[in-house]
Coordinates of all heavy atoms in Angstrom, one line a residue:
M1 N 7.6 0.1 -18.5 CA 7.7 1.6 -18.3 C 8.9 1.8 -17.5 O 9.1 1.1 -16.5 CB 6.4 2.1 -17.7 CG 6.5 3.6 -17.6 SD 4.9 4.2 -16.9 CE 3.9 4.2 -18.4
H2 N 9.8 2.8 -17.8 CA 10.9 3.0 -17.0 C 11.2 4.5 -17.0 O 11.1 5.2 -18.0 CB 12.2 2.3 -17.6 CG 13.4 2.7 -17.0 ND1 13.8 2.4 -15.7 CD2 14.5 3.5 -17.4 CE1 15.0 2.8 -15.4 NE2 15.4 3.5 -16.5
T3 N 11.6 5.0 -15.9 CA 12.1 6.4 -15.8 C 12.9 6.5 -14.5 O 12.7 5.7 -13.6 CB 10.9 7.4 -15.7 OG1 11.5 8.7 -15.7 CG2 10.1 7.2 -14.5
S4 N 13.8 7.4 -14.5 CA 14.6 7.6 -13.2 C 14.1 8.9 -12.5 O 14.7 9.2 -11.5 CB 16.1 7.7 -13.6 OG 16.3 8.8 -14.5
E5 N 13.1 9.6 -13.1 CA 12.7 10.8 -12.4 C 11.3 10.6 -11.7 O 10.4 10.1 -12.4 CB 12.5 11.9 -13.4 CG 13.9 12.4 -14.0 CD 13.8 13.6 -14.8 OE1 12.8 14.5 -14.6 OE2 14.6 13.7 -15.7
F6 N 11.2 11.0 -10.5 CA 10.0 10.8 -9.8 C 9.5 12.1 -9.2 O 9.1 12.2 -8.1 CB 10.2 9.8 -8.6 CG 10.5 8.4 -9.1 CD1 11.8 7.9 -9.1 CD2 9.5 7.6 -9.5 CE1 12.1 6.7 -9.5 CE2 9.8 6.3 -10.0 CZ 11.1 5.9 -10.0
S7 N 9.7 13.2 -10.0 CA 9.3 14.5 -9.5 C 7.9 14.9 -9.8 O 7.4 15.9 -9.3 CB 10.3 15.5 -10.1 OG 10.3 15.5 -11.5
G8 N 7.3 14.2 -10.7 CA 5.9 14.6 -11.1 C 4.9 14.0 -10.1 O 5.2 13.5 -9.1
P9 N 3.6 14.2 -10.5 CA 2.5 13.6 -9.6 C 2.6 12.1 -9.5 O 3.0 11.4 -10.4 CB 1.3 14.1 -10.3 CG 1.6 14.6 -11.7 CD 3.1 14.8 -11.7
R10 N 2.2 11.6 -8.3 CA 2.3 10.2 -8.1 C 1.6 9.3 -9.2 O 2.1 8.2 -9.5 CB 1.7 9.8 -6.7 CG 2.6 10.2 -5.6 CD 2.0 9.8 -4.3 NE 2.8 10.3 -3.2 CZ 3.5 9.5 -2.4 NH1 3.6 8.3 -2.7 NH2 4.2 10.1 -1.5
E11 N 0.5 9.8 -9.7 CA -0.2 8.9 -10.7 C 0.7 8.8 -12.0 O 0.4 7.8 -12.8 CB -1.6 9.5 -11.0 CG -1.6 10.9 -11.6 CD -1.7 12.0 -10.6 OE1 -1.6 11.7 -9.4 OE2 -1.9 13.1 -11.0
D12 N 1.7 9.6 -12.2 CA 2.6 9.4 -13.4 C 3.8 8.6 -13.1 O 4.5 8.4 -14.0 CB 3.0 10.8 -13.9 CG 1.9 11.6 -14.5 OD1 0.8 11.0 -14.8 OD2 1.9 12.9 -14.5
W13 N 4.0 8.2 -11.9 CA 5.2 7.5 -11.6 C 5.0 6.1 -12.3 O 3.9 5.5 -12.4 CB 5.3 7.2 -10.1 CG 5.7 8.5 -9.3 CD1 5.8 9.8 -9.8 CD2 6.0 8.6 -7.9 NE1 6.1 10.6 -8.8 CE2 6.2 9.9 -7.6 CE3 6.0 7.7 -6.9 CZ2 6.5 10.4 -6.3 CZ3 6.3 8.1 -5.6 CH2 6.6 9.5 -5.4
P14 N 6.1 5.5 -12.7 CA 6.0 4.3 -13.5 C 5.1 3.2 -12.9 O 4.3 2.6 -13.6 CB 7.5 3.8 -13.6 CG 8.3 5.0 -13.4 CD 7.5 5.9 -12.5
I15 N 5.4 2.8 -11.7 CA 4.6 1.7 -11.1 C 3.1 2.0 -11.0 O 2.2 1.2 -11.3 CB 5.2 1.2 -9.7 CG1 4.5 -0.1 -9.3 CG2 4.9 2.3 -8.7 CD1 4.9 -1.3 -10.1
N16 N 2.8 3.3 -10.6 CA 1.4 3.7 -10.6 C 0.7 3.7 -11.9 O -0.4 3.3 -12.1 CB 1.2 5.1 -9.9 CG 1.5 5.0 -8.4 OD1 1.2 4.0 -7.8 ND2 2.1 6.0 -7.9
A17 N 1.5 4.2 -13.0 CA 1.0 4.2 -14.4 C 0.7 2.7 -14.8 O -0.3 2.5 -15.5 CB 1.9 4.9 -15.3
A18 N 1.7 1.8 -14.5 CA 1.5 0.4 -14.9 C 0.3 -0.2 -14.1 O -0.5 -0.9 -14.8 CB 2.8 -0.3 -14.6
L19 N 0.1 0.1 -12.9 CA -1.0 -0.5 -12.2 C -2.3 0.1 -12.7 O -3.3 -0.6 -12.8 CB -0.9 -0.1 -10.7 CG 0.2 -0.9 -9.9 CD1 0.4 -0.3 -8.5 CD2 -0.2 -2.4 -9.8
A20 N -2.4 1.4 -13.1 CA -3.6 1.9 -13.7 C -3.9 1.3 -15.0 O -5.1 1.0 -15.3 CB -3.4 3.5 -13.9
R21 N -2.8 0.9 -15.8 CA -3.1 0.3 -17.1 C -3.7 -1.2 -16.9 O -4.4 -1.7 -17.7 CB -1.8 0.1 -17.9 CG -1.4 1.5 -18.4 CD -0.3 1.5 -19.3 NE -0.8 1.1 -20.6 CZ 0.0 0.8 -21.7 NH1 1.3 1.0 -21.5 NH2 -0.5 0.5 -22.8
L22 N -3.4 -1.8 -15.6 CA -3.9 -3.1 -15.3 C -5.3 -3.0 -14.7 O -5.9 -4.0 -14.5 CB -3.0 -3.8 -14.3 CG -1.6 -4.2 -14.8 CD1 -0.7 -4.6 -13.7 CD2 -1.7 -5.2 -15.9
G23 N -5.8 -1.8 -14.5 CA -7.1 -1.6 -14.1 C -7.3 -1.3 -12.6 O -8.4 -1.2 -12.0
V24 N -6.2 -1.1 -11.9 CA -6.2 -0.7 -10.5 C -6.8 0.8 -10.4 O -6.3 1.6 -11.1 CB -4.9 -0.8 -9.8 CG1 -4.9 -0.3 -8.3 CG2 -4.4 -2.2 -9.9
A25 N -7.7 1.0 -9.4 CA -8.2 2.3 -9.3 C -8.1 2.7 -7.8 O -8.1 1.8 -6.9 CB -9.7 2.3 -9.7
S26 N -8.1 4.0 -7.5 CA -8.0 4.4 -6.1 C -9.3 4.2 -5.4 O -10.3 3.8 -6.1 CB -7.7 5.9 -6.0 OG -8.7 6.7 -6.6
V27 N -9.3 4.3 -4.1 CA -10.5 4.0 -3.3 C -11.8 4.7 -3.9 O -12.9 4.1 -3.8 CB -10.3 4.4 -1.9 CG1 -11.5 4.1 -1.0 CG2 -9.1 3.7 -1.3
G28 N -11.6 5.9 -4.4 CA -12.8 6.6 -5.0 C -12.8 8.0 -4.5 O -11.8 8.5 -4.0
P29 N -13.8 8.7 -4.8 CA -14.0 10.1 -4.4 C -13.7 10.3 -2.9 O -14.1 9.6 -2.1 CB -15.4 10.5 -4.7 CG -15.9 9.4 -5.7 CD -15.1 8.2 -5.3
G30 N -12.9 11.4 -2.7 CA -12.6 11.7 -1.2 C -11.5 11.0 -0.7 O -11.1 11.1 0.4
A31 N -10.8 10.1 -1.5 CA -9.6 9.4 -1.0 C -8.5 10.4 -0.8 O -8.3 11.4 -1.6 CB -9.2 8.4 -2.1
P32 N -7.7 10.2 0.2 CA -6.7 11.2 0.5 C -5.7 11.2 -0.6 O -5.4 10.2 -1.3 CB -5.9 10.6 1.8 CG -7.0 9.7 2.4 CD -7.9 9.2 1.3
D33 N -5.1 12.4 -0.9 CA -4.2 12.6 -2.0 C -2.9 11.8 -1.9 O -2.3 11.5 -2.9 CB -3.9 14.1 -2.2 CG -5.1 14.9 -2.7 OD1 -6.0 14.3 -3.2 OD2 -5.1 16.1 -2.5
Y34 N -2.5 11.5 -0.7 CA -1.2 10.9 -0.5 C -1.3 9.4 -0.8 O -0.3 8.8 -1.0 CB -0.7 11.1 1.0 CG -1.5 10.3 2.0 CD1 -1.2 8.9 2.3 CD2 -2.6 10.9 2.6 CE1 -2.0 8.2 3.2 CE2 -3.3 10.2 3.6 CZ -3.0 8.9 3.8 OH -3.8 8.2 4.7
R35 N -2.4 8.8 -1.0 CA -2.5 7.4 -1.3 C -2.3 7.3 -2.8 O -2.8 8.0 -3.7 CB -4.0 7.0 -1.1 CG -4.4 7.0 0.3 CD -3.7 6.1 1.3 NE -3.9 4.7 1.1 CZ -4.6 3.9 1.8 NH1 -5.1 4.4 2.9 NH2 -4.8 2.6 1.6
D36 N -1.4 6.4 -3.1 CA -1.1 6.1 -4.5 C -1.5 4.6 -4.8 O -1.7 3.8 -3.9 CB 0.3 6.4 -4.9 CG 1.4 5.7 -4.2 OD1 1.1 4.6 -3.7 OD2 2.5 6.2 -4.1
L37 N -1.5 4.2 -6.1 CA -1.9 2.9 -6.4 C -1.0 1.9 -5.9 O -1.4 0.7 -5.5 CB -2.1 2.8 -8.0 CG -3.1 3.7 -8.6 CD1 -3.2 3.5 -10.1 CD2 -4.5 3.4 -8.0
F38 N 0.3 2.1 -5.8 CA 1.2 1.2 -5.2 C 0.8 0.9 -3.8 O 0.8 -0.3 -3.4 CB 2.7 1.8 -5.3 CG 3.7 1.0 -4.8 CD1 4.3 0.0 -5.7 CD2 4.3 1.1 -3.6 CE1 5.3 -0.8 -5.3 CE2 5.4 0.3 -3.2 CZ 5.9 -0.7 -4.0
V39 N 0.5 1.9 -3.0 CA 0.0 1.7 -1.6 C -1.4 1.0 -1.6 O -1.7 0.2 -0.8 CB 0.0 3.0 -0.9 CG1 -0.7 2.9 0.5 CG2 1.4 3.5 -0.7
E40 N -2.2 1.4 -2.6 CA -3.6 1.0 -2.6 C -3.7 -0.6 -2.7 O -4.6 -1.2 -2.1 CB -4.3 1.6 -3.9 CG -5.8 1.6 -3.8 CD -6.3 2.5 -2.7 OE1 -5.8 3.6 -2.5 OE2 -7.3 2.1 -2.1
V41 N -2.8 -1.2 -3.5 CA -2.8 -2.6 -3.7 C -2.0 -3.3 -2.6 O -1.8 -4.6 -2.6 CB -2.4 -3.0 -5.1 CG1 -3.3 -2.5 -6.1 CG2 -1.0 -2.7 -5.4
G42 N -1.4 -2.6 -1.6 CA -0.7 -3.2 -0.5 C 0.7 -3.4 -0.8 O 1.4 -4.1 0.0
L43 N 1.3 -2.9 -1.8 CA 2.7 -3.1 -2.1 C 3.6 -2.1 -1.2 O 4.8 -2.4 -1.1 CB 3.0 -2.9 -3.6 CG 2.4 -3.8 -4.6 CD1 2.6 -3.4 -6.0 CD2 2.9 -5.2 -4.3
G44 N 3.1 -1.1 -0.7 CA 3.9 -0.2 0.0 C 4.3 -0.7 1.4 O 5.2 0.0 2.0
Q45 N 3.8 -1.8 1.8 CA 4.2 -2.3 3.1 C 5.5 -2.9 3.1 O 6.2 -3.1 4.1 CB 3.2 -3.4 3.5 CG 1.8 -2.8 3.7 CD 0.8 -3.9 4.1 OE1 1.1 -4.8 4.9 NE2 -0.3 -3.9 3.4
G46 N 6.0 -3.4 2.0 CA 7.3 -4.2 1.9 C 8.2 -3.5 0.9 O 7.9 -3.4 -0.3
R47 N 9.3 -3.0 1.4 CA 10.3 -2.4 0.5 C 11.4 -3.3 0.2 O 12.3 -3.0 -0.6 CB 10.7 -1.1 1.0 CG 9.7 0.0 1.2 CD 9.2 0.4 -0.1 NE 8.2 1.4 0.1 CZ 7.5 2.0 -0.9 NH1 7.8 1.7 -2.1 NH2 6.5 2.9 -0.6
D48 N 11.6 -4.4 1.0 CA 12.7 -5.3 0.7 C 12.2 -6.7 1.0 O 11.1 -7.0 1.5 CB 13.9 -4.9 1.5 CG 13.7 -5.0 3.0 OD1 12.9 -5.8 3.6 OD2 14.3 -4.1 3.7
E49 N 13.1 -7.7 0.7 CA 12.7 -9.1 0.9 C 12.3 -9.5 2.3 O 11.3 -10.2 2.5 CB 13.9 -10.0 0.4 CG 13.6 -11.4 0.4 CD 14.7 -12.3 -0.1 OE1 15.6 -11.8 -0.8 OE2 14.7 -13.5 0.3
E50 N 13.0 -8.9 3.3 CA 12.7 -9.3 4.7 C 11.2 -8.8 5.0 O 10.5 -9.5 5.7 CB 13.7 -8.6 5.6 CG 13.5 -9.1 7.1 CD 13.6 -10.6 7.3 OE1 14.4 -11.2 6.5 OE2 12.9 -11.1 8.1
D51 N 10.8 -7.7 4.5 CA 9.4 -7.2 4.7 C 8.4 -8.1 4.1 O 7.4 -8.4 4.7 CB 9.2 -5.8 4.1 CG 10.0 -4.7 4.9 OD1 10.3 -4.9 6.1 OD2 10.2 -3.6 4.3
W52 N 8.8 -8.7 3.0 CA 7.8 -9.5 2.3 C 7.7 -10.9 3.0 O 6.7 -11.5 3.1 CB 8.1 -9.7 0.8 CG 7.8 -8.5 0.0 CD1 8.6 -7.5 -0.5 CD2 6.4 -8.1 -0.4 NE1 7.8 -6.6 -1.1 CE2 6.5 -6.9 -1.1 CE3 5.2 -8.7 -0.2 CZ2 5.4 -6.2 -1.5 CZ3 4.1 -8.0 -0.6 CH2 4.2 -6.8 -1.3
R53 N 8.9 -11.4 3.5 CA 8.9 -12.6 4.2 C 8.1 -12.5 5.5 O 7.2 -13.4 5.8 CB 10.3 -12.9 4.6 CG 10.5 -14.3 5.2 CD 11.9 -14.7 5.5 NE 12.7 -14.8 4.3 CZ 13.8 -14.1 4.0 NH1 14.2 -13.2 4.9 NH2 14.4 -14.2 2.9
W54 N 8.2 -11.4 6.2 CA 7.4 -11.1 7.4 C 5.9 -11.1 7.0 O 5.1 -11.7 7.7 CB 7.9 -9.8 8.1 CG 7.1 -9.5 9.3 CD1 6.3 -8.5 9.5 CD2 7.0 -10.3 10.5 NE1 5.7 -8.5 10.8 CE2 6.2 -9.6 11.4 CE3 7.7 -11.4 10.9 CZ2 5.9 -10.0 12.7 CZ3 7.4 -11.9 12.2 CH2 6.5 -11.2 13.1
A55 N 5.6 -10.4 5.9 CA 4.1 -10.3 5.6 C 3.6 -11.7 5.2 O 2.4 -12.0 5.5 CB 4.0 -9.4 4.4
A56 N 4.4 -12.5 4.6 CA 3.9 -13.9 4.2 C 3.7 -14.7 5.5 O 2.7 -15.4 5.6 CB 5.0 -14.6 3.3
L57 N 4.6 -14.5 6.5 CA 4.3 -15.3 7.8 C 3.1 -14.8 8.5 O 2.3 -15.6 9.0 CB 5.5 -15.1 8.7 CG 6.8 -15.8 8.3 CD1 8.0 -15.4 9.2 CD2 6.6 -17.3 8.4
K58 N 2.8 -13.5 8.5 CA 1.6 -12.9 9.1 C 0.3 -13.4 8.3 O -0.7 -13.6 8.9 CB 1.6 -11.4 9.1 CG 2.6 -10.9 10.1 CD 2.6 -9.4 10.3 CE 2.2 -8.6 9.2 NZ 2.2 -7.1 9.4
A59 N 0.4 -13.5 7.0 CA -0.7 -13.9 6.2 C -1.0 -15.3 6.2 O -2.1 -15.8 5.8 CB -0.5 -13.4 4.7
S60 N -0.1 -16.2 6.6 CA -0.3 -17.6 6.5 C -1.4 -18.2 7.4 O -2.0 -19.2 7.0 CB 1.0 -18.3 6.9 OG 1.3 -18.2 8.3
N61 N -1.9 -17.4 8.4 CA -3.0 -17.9 9.2 C -4.3 -17.4 8.6 O -5.4 -17.7 9.3 CB -2.8 -17.6 10.6 CG -2.9 -16.1 10.9 OD1 -2.9 -15.3 10.0 ND2 -2.9 -15.7 12.2
A62 N -4.4 -16.6 7.6 CA -5.6 -16.1 7.0 C -6.2 -17.2 6.1 O -5.5 -17.9 5.4 CB -5.4 -14.8 6.3
A63 N -7.5 -17.2 6.1 CA -8.2 -18.2 5.2 C -8.0 -17.9 3.8 O -7.9 -18.7 2.9 CB -9.7 -18.3 5.5
N64 N -7.9 -16.6 3.4 CA -7.7 -16.2 2.0 C -7.1 -14.7 2.0 O -7.0 -14.1 3.1 CB -9.0 -16.2 1.3 CG -10.1 -15.3 1.8 OD1 -9.8 -14.2 2.3 ND2 -11.3 -15.9 2.0
Y65 N -6.7 -14.3 0.9 CA -6.2 -13.0 0.7 C -7.1 -11.8 1.2 O -6.6 -11.0 1.8 CB -5.7 -12.8 -0.8 CG -5.2 -11.3 -0.9 CD1 -3.9 -11.0 -0.6 CD2 -6.0 -10.3 -1.5 CE1 -3.4 -9.7 -0.8 CE2 -5.6 -9.1 -1.6 CZ -4.3 -8.7 -1.3 OH -3.9 -7.4 -1.4
D66 N -8.3 -11.9 0.8 CA -9.3 -10.9 1.2 C -9.4 -10.7 2.7 O -9.4 -9.6 3.2 CB -10.7 -11.1 0.6 CG -10.7 -11.0 -0.9 OD1 -9.8 -10.3 -1.5 OD2 -11.5 -11.7 -1.6
E67 N -9.4 -11.8 3.4 CA -9.5 -11.7 4.9 C -8.2 -11.1 5.4 O -8.2 -10.2 6.2 CB -9.6 -13.2 5.5 CG -9.6 -13.2 7.0 CD -9.5 -14.6 7.5 OE1 -10.3 -15.4 7.1 OE2 -8.6 -14.9 8.3
W68 N -7.0 -11.5 4.9 CA -5.8 -10.9 5.4 C -5.7 -9.4 5.0 O -5.4 -8.6 5.8 CB -4.7 -11.7 4.7 CG -3.3 -11.0 5.0 CD1 -2.6 -11.2 6.1 CD2 -2.6 -10.1 4.1 NE1 -1.4 -10.4 6.0 CE2 -1.4 -9.7 4.8 CE3 -2.8 -9.6 2.9 CZ2 -0.5 -8.9 4.2 CZ3 -1.9 -8.8 2.3 CH2 -0.7 -8.4 3.0
H69 N -6.1 -9.1 3.8 CA -6.0 -7.7 3.3 C -6.9 -6.8 4.2 O -6.5 -5.7 4.6 CB -6.4 -7.6 1.9 CG -6.2 -6.2 1.3 ND1 -7.2 -5.3 1.2 CD2 -5.1 -5.5 0.9 CE1 -6.8 -4.2 0.7 NE2 -5.5 -4.3 0.5
A70 N -8.1 -7.3 4.4 CA -9.1 -6.5 5.3 C -8.5 -6.3 6.6 O -8.6 -5.2 7.2 CB -10.4 -7.2 5.3
R71 N -7.9 -7.3 7.2 CA -7.4 -7.2 8.6 C -6.2 -6.2 8.5 O -6.1 -5.3 9.5 CB -6.9 -8.6 9.1 CG -6.5 -8.6 10.5 CD -6.2 -10.0 10.9 NE -5.1 -10.6 10.2 CZ -5.1 -11.8 9.7 NH1 -6.2 -12.6 9.8 NH2 -4.1 -12.3 9.1
E72 N -5.3 -6.3 7.5 CA -4.1 -5.4 7.5 C -4.6 -4.0 7.2 O -4.0 -3.0 7.8 CB -3.2 -5.9 6.4 CG -2.4 -7.1 6.7 CD -1.5 -6.9 7.9 OE1 -0.7 -6.0 7.9 OE2 -1.7 -7.7 8.9
Q73 N -5.6 -3.8 6.4 CA -6.1 -2.4 6.1 C -6.7 -1.8 7.3 O -6.4 -0.6 7.6 CB -7.2 -2.4 5.0 CG -7.6 -1.0 4.5 CD -8.4 -1.1 3.3 OE1 -8.8 -2.2 2.8 NE2 -8.8 0.0 2.8
A74 N -7.5 -2.6 8.1 CA -8.1 -2.1 9.3 C -6.9 -1.7 10.3 O -7.1 -0.6 11.0 CB -9.0 -3.1 10.0
K75 N -5.9 -2.5 10.4 CA -4.8 -2.2 11.3 C -4.1 -0.9 10.8 O -3.8 0.0 11.7 CB -3.7 -3.3 11.3 CG -2.6 -3.1 12.1 CD -1.6 -4.3 12.0 CE -0.3 -4.0 12.7 NZ 0.7 -5.0 12.4
R76 N -3.8 -0.7 9.5 CA -3.2 0.6 9.0 C -4.1 1.8 9.3 O -3.6 2.8 9.8 CB -3.0 0.5 7.5 CG -1.7 -0.1 7.1 CD -1.4 0.1 5.6 NE -2.5 -0.2 4.7 CZ -2.8 -1.4 4.3 NH1 -2.1 -2.4 4.6 NH2 -3.8 -1.6 3.4
E77 N -5.4 1.6 9.1 CA -6.3 2.8 9.4 C -6.4 3.1 10.8 O -6.4 4.3 11.2 CB -7.7 2.4 8.9 CG -7.8 2.4 7.4 CD -9.1 1.8 6.9 OE1 -10.0 1.4 7.6 OE2 -9.3 1.8 5.6
S78 N -6.2 2.1 11.7 CA -6.3 2.4 13.1 C -5.0 3.1 13.5 O -5.0 4.0 14.3 CB -6.3 1.1 13.9 OG -6.2 1.2 15.3
E79 N -3.8 2.7 12.9 CA -2.5 3.3 13.2 C -2.6 4.8 12.7 O -2.0 5.7 13.3 CB -1.4 2.5 12.6 CG -1.1 1.2 13.3 CD -0.2 0.3 12.5 OE1 0.2 0.7 11.4 OE2 0.1 -0.7 13.1
E80 N -3.2 5.0 11.5 CA -3.3 6.4 10.9 C -4.2 7.3 11.8 O -3.8 8.4 12.1 CB -3.8 6.3 9.5 CG -2.9 5.7 8.5 CD -3.5 5.5 7.2 OE1 -4.7 5.8 7.0 OE2 -2.8 5.0 6.3
R81 N -5.3 6.7 12.3 CA -6.1 7.5 13.2 C -5.4 7.9 14.5 O -5.4 9.0 15.0 CB -7.4 6.8 13.6 CG -8.5 6.8 12.5 CD -9.8 6.3 13.0 NE -9.8 5.0 13.5 CZ -9.9 3.9 12.8 NH1 -10.0 3.9 11.5 NH2 -9.8 2.7 13.3
A82 N -4.6 6.9 15.0 CA -3.9 7.1 16.3 C -2.8 8.2 16.1 O -2.6 9.1 16.9 CB -3.3 5.8 16.8
A83 N -2.1 8.2 14.9 CA -1.1 9.2 14.6 C -1.7 10.5 14.5 O -1.2 11.5 14.9 CB -0.4 8.7 13.3
A84 N -2.9 10.6 13.8 CA -3.6 11.9 13.6 C -4.0 12.4 15.0 O -3.9 13.6 15.2 CB -4.8 11.7 12.7
E85 N -4.5 11.6 15.9 CA -4.9 12.0 17.2 C -3.7 12.5 18.0 O -3.7 13.5 18.7 CB -5.6 10.9 18.0 CG -7.0 10.6 17.4 CD -7.6 9.4 18.1 OE1 -7.0 8.8 19.0 OE2 -8.7 9.0 17.6
R86 N -2.5 11.9 17.9 CA -1.3 12.3 18.6 C -0.8 13.6 18.1 O -0.4 14.4 18.8 CB -0.2 11.3 18.5 CG -0.4 10.1 19.3 CD 0.9 9.2 19.3 NE 1.3 8.7 18.0 CZ 0.9 7.6 17.4 NH1 0.1 6.8 18.0 NH2 1.3 7.2 16.2
A87 N -1.0 13.8 16.8 CA -0.6 15.1 16.1 C -1.4 16.3 16.6 O -0.9 17.4 16.7 CB -0.7 15.0 14.6
I88 N -2.7 16.0 17.0 CA -3.6 17.1 17.5 C -3.1 17.4 18.9 O -2.9 18.4 19.3 CB -5.0 16.7 17.4 CG1 -5.5 16.5 16.0 CG2 -5.9 17.6 18.2 CD1 -6.9 15.9 15.9

């Protein structure tokens, strides 16, 4: 899938549409609107090769992907809560 326009809803963006076709689903009812499938599967953390290299180094001490992903998700949620509290 290819397009150069990203003006529509996030679920129509090429990578999100492709992820949906692969069976990726959002967290579920009540999930914040800003979350897209690209972010949902953890791809939003790395936008270039250096980001991915850093993520690989951080993940190397995890027993498995699920453990690493849960730890990273908890960290992101904590940072989001802290940012929301600062905004208030």
